[in-house]
Amino acid sequence: MPKEAAEPHPIRPARPRLAPRTAYLLQRVLAPNAFYRRLAAAVERFPVLRRLFTATEKRAKEPLFGCRMCGQCALPVTGYACPMSCPKELRNGPCGGVGADGSCEVHPEMRCVWVVAYERAASQGRPGDLRRLHRPVDHRRWGESAWLNYWQGREDTLWTTEDVLSPALRAGEPSAAGADEPAPGEGEPGEVQTGELQWNS
Amino acid sequence: MELVSTSALRARLAAGGFAVTAEISPPRGASGDPVRRKADLLRGWVDAVNVTDNQGAHVRLSSMAGSMVALSAGLEPIMQMTCRDRNRIALQSDLLGASALGIRNVLVMTGDHPKFGDHPGAKPVFDLDSIQFLWAARTMRDEGTLMSGRTLNPPPDCFLGAVENPFAPPAGFRAERLGKKVAAGAQFVQTQFVFDVPAFGEWMSQVHDLGLHERCHILAGVGAIRSVRAMEFMADNVPGVYIPEETSRRLRGVPGDRVAEEGARIAAEVIQQVREIPGVAGVHLLAAGNEAAVPGVLSAAGLGLRDTVTGDAVAGDSHGR
């Protein structure tokens, strides 16, 4: 291991983490609806109110999730383990350097965020959440309120709505390896037969 | 009019052949000669060779320049591109540059954190993750557009590769993660070092369940350990490398001057074993600075000098494009 025992990572979620059940319950409570949409629009009309609201969100989410205020929250589909607390800020799953014990390669005293995410999502019967493709972070949004964005539908395209491993998205039915010519219309390896994975949606 | 790629690696895989790739790390210095020397050792034995991108976050000659040297030495390069040092502007730009220079294979990876390298204070970029960059690269090639939506004329031509570590936690997600890479655009994948063949087989069966071997060519990573010290270094310092007790016992069980030989024997055995696993399309020889051992390992595994697969095989194959 490199010399020093890793400088502490700046923001970490409080221990113990919010129970996954509670987190998903919160998801239902905070789900966008007409009331929240109007509330968010109203808050955004007044800069002071907006700053206050954003600060409150930060106060709540920083200790709960180690939130960095990226302004585009992935928590609903990552078992409420924040991918931005990964030292590589990976939004689509763990890197290949996770220790055999599930530790982070960069901060070995911390568990890999994605190991935590996988366990938490799976424990609530939602492992499919992790099979969506996340689009890149928009770095203009740092510091914004993700809740205001979420309630006003600005986060609808952060990730694909489909589980990209669902059979419907597979390029043709599996046949014996390397046996036949692919059926007409069947793609080459890597091709996805759907409009779902458009870069801009 | 179909575009005919000149990737010999793609041609080999598309023809259903067993592919062999290896790895060259460019030098810490401003000369291509070390790359040329390593290319001379490997030419004829492999279909293509990875040229690493500042591996371990240590500054080396760039992977694009190294790829060009390999190409000019008659060895097909697989240019590695990590997301560690470049934002989305530079990544897309370099993908265009590589294609313009005739580099036909690109391997996309997240990359080691700068903390592990010789510039630990460097800014870790990670603007895109490997999956997002694969997605962007496929969009550039197939849709002819940048991430911004602006059109490319002409689009790049590249055979897109990814990496996966079948042994890292969370075990239940590793095949699915490959699935995400395939959905994003990966056409071939090279795995982390395989020493534990049963564990690799377990991962491969999950890959089968997801049908991924039908959509992506899977190359198992194999390496010859040359000393006990090298083994210990890899186990302790290279993130994501797992060396099982059995391998460690075998290498420690022979006299010091026979370790390299035993390491090569283990590598040859692993090659023969993974070849038997359905869906394994080839092997990737991770040299770990030991390129000279590659021909010996390959011939011990029954993989002799390669016959040439020409681009014509691609044109005649429906996997080609």
Side-chain angles (χ1 to χ4, degrees):
Chain A
M1 277 288 128
K3 315 160 275 305
E4 86 293 14
E7 67 290 0
H9 212 264
I11 305 169
R12 294 273 171 82
R15 303 288 184 95
R17 280 178 187 268
L18 185 69
R21 270 185 73 128
T22 319
Y24 283 106
L25 196 73
L26 218 64
Q27 182 177 85
R28 283 207 292 278
V29 174
L30 291 173
N33 58 34
F35 169 73
Y36 284 138
R37 195 168 52 246
R38 276 201 295 275
L39 175 73
V43 167
E44 286 196 344
R45 271 197 292 278
F46 304 97
V48 178
L49 211 54
R50 184 181 191 157
R51 271 204 302 281
L52 247 157
F53 185 91
T54 308
T56 309
E57 178 177 336
K58 184 171 189 236
R59 281 288 285 274
K61 282 167 74 181
E62 192 176 287
L64 275 179
F65 307 110
C67 173
R68 309 289 157 89
M69 296 300 283
C70 69
Q72 43 219 296
C73 195
L75 288 171
V77 288
T78 60
Y80 286 85
C82 176
M84 303 312 273
S85 61
C86 160
K88 297 178 181 176
E89 299 183 350
L90 301 181
R91 303 271 289 198
N92 275 297
C95 74
V98 185
D101 58 353
S103 58
C104 170
E105 68 165 39
V106 181
H107 301 291
E109 76 287 358
M110 173 176 119
R111 292 194 81 210
C112 166
V113 189
W114 282 101
V115 170
V116 174
Y118 182 78
E119 289 171 359
R120 289 169 63 94
S123 79
Q124 300 303 306
R126 303 180 57 147
D129 280 356
L130 271 59
R131 298 184 201 126
R132 299 152 188 253
L133 294 187
H134 287 248
R135 294 186 175 81
V137 167
D138 182 340
H139 290 279
R140 291 169 297 189
R141 288 200 170 176
W142 282 92
E144 288 182 9
S145 158
W147 283 343
L148 294 179
N149 286 333
Y150 177 52
W151 287 335
Q152 295 182 93
R154 296 183 197 128
E155 303 210 330
D156 291 351
T157 60
L158 288 182
W159 51 78
T160 57
T161 52
E162 292 281 346
D163 166 351
V164 294
L165 299 178
S166 68
L169 285 185
R170 288 191 206 164
E173 277 303 299
S175 58
D180 309 310
E181 289 283 294
E186 186 176 325
E188 62 174 315
E191 187 174 337
V192 175
Q193 311 272 304
T194 173
E196 170 61 29
L197 295 180
Q198 291 305 305
W199 183 257
N200 301 297
S201 72
Chain B
M1 184 72 193
E2 285 233 327
L3 206 66
V4 177
S5 167
T6 55
S7 165
L9 173 64
R10 171 187 220 141
R12 169 83 63 192
L13 289 165
F18 195 76
V20 179
T21 59
E23 184 175 280
I24 288 180
S25 356
R28 189 171 64 244
S31 166
D33 291 343
V35 175
R36 218 166 278 121
R37 277 198 298 277
K38 290 172 182 174
D40 289 342
L41 285 171
L42 296 171
R43 196 184 311 109
W45 290 95
V46 299
D47 295 298
V49 69
N50 288 31
V51 180
T52 55
D53 179 7
N54 299 296
Q55 83 277 13
H58 290 82
V59 172
R60 301 290 185 118
L61 185 122
S62 76
S63 64
M64 197 188 299
S67 294
M68 280 311 291
V69 175
L71 194 60
S72 69
L75 188 57
E76 180 170 302
I78 301 169
M79 183 174 113
Q80 294 193 182
M81 290 184 81
T82 74
C83 299
R84 176 190 59 229
D85 308 316
R86 284 165 287 197
N87 67 7
R88 64 194 77 178
I89 297 172
L91 285 171
Q92 293 180 96
S93 167
D94 279 355
L95 192 74
L96 296 177
S99 189
L101 292 170
I103 298 166
R104 286 288 166 265
N105 311 299
V106 174
L107 187 82
V108 172
M109 51 193 17
T110 306
D112 291 316
H113 196 276
K115 184 189 154 180
F116 298 103
D118 56 358
H119 294 73
K123 184 179 197 326
V125 179
F126 303 114
D127 181 29
L128 303 184
D129 62 34
S130 56
I131 290 172
Q132 290 160 349
F133 183 39
L134 281 164
W135 193 358
R138 177 171 63 84
T139 307
M140 288 169 71
R141 184 193 64 203
D142 295 349
E143 317 291 327
T145 55
L146 290 169
M147 290 171 65
S148 64
R150 299 189 82 171
T151 54
L152 289 164
N153 186 22
D157 178 15
C158 46
F159 188 44
L160 289 172
V163 296
E164 186 51 86
N165 187 345
F167 312 105
F173 188 60
R174 286 293 159 180
E176 295 185 2
R177 179 170 179 262
L178 175 62
K180 289 181 78 168
K181 292 189 171 190
V182 172
Q187 295 164 291
F188 71 98
V189 62
Q190 296 172 334
T191 74
Q192 183 54 278
F193 277 107
V194 177
F195 293 111
D196 186 345
V197 177
F200 177 74
E202 176 55 39
W203 176 76
M204 276 303 296
S205 72
Q206 294 171 24
V207 167
H208 269 259
D209 292 344
L210 295 170
L212 299 174
H213 62 300
E214 293 288 318
R215 297 169 55 193
C216 174
H217 305 289
I218 294 156
L219 279 66
V222 182
I225 299 176
R226 72 196 138 147
S227 68
V228 170
R229 246 187 76 194
M231 176 180 76
E232 286 168 349
F233 178 84
M234 273 168 42
D236 296 341
N237 293 284
V238 183
V241 175
Y242 304 101
I243 297 174
E245 203 47 50
E246 163 73 6
T247 307
S248 167
R249 205 173 49 240
R250 275 182 70 176
L251 290 171
R252 289 177 203 277
V254 296
D257 58 336
R258 308 286 293 277
V259 174
E261 199 182 304
E262 185 68 11
R265 191 175 300 125
I266 292 172
E269 287 171 18
V270 171
I271 292 176
Q272 285 165 335
Q273 288 163 9
V274 297
R275 264 193 102 158
E276 301 298 315
I277 299 174
V280 174
V283 284
H284 173 57
L285 275 286
L286 292 129
N290 196 11
E291 288 86 356
V294 167
V297 170
L298 287 171
S299 53
L303 290 165
L305 284 163
R306 314 252 76 193
D307 51 327
T308 318
V309 182
T310 65
D312 297 345
V314 174
D317 188 284
S318 53
H319 274 44
R321 50 179 304 278

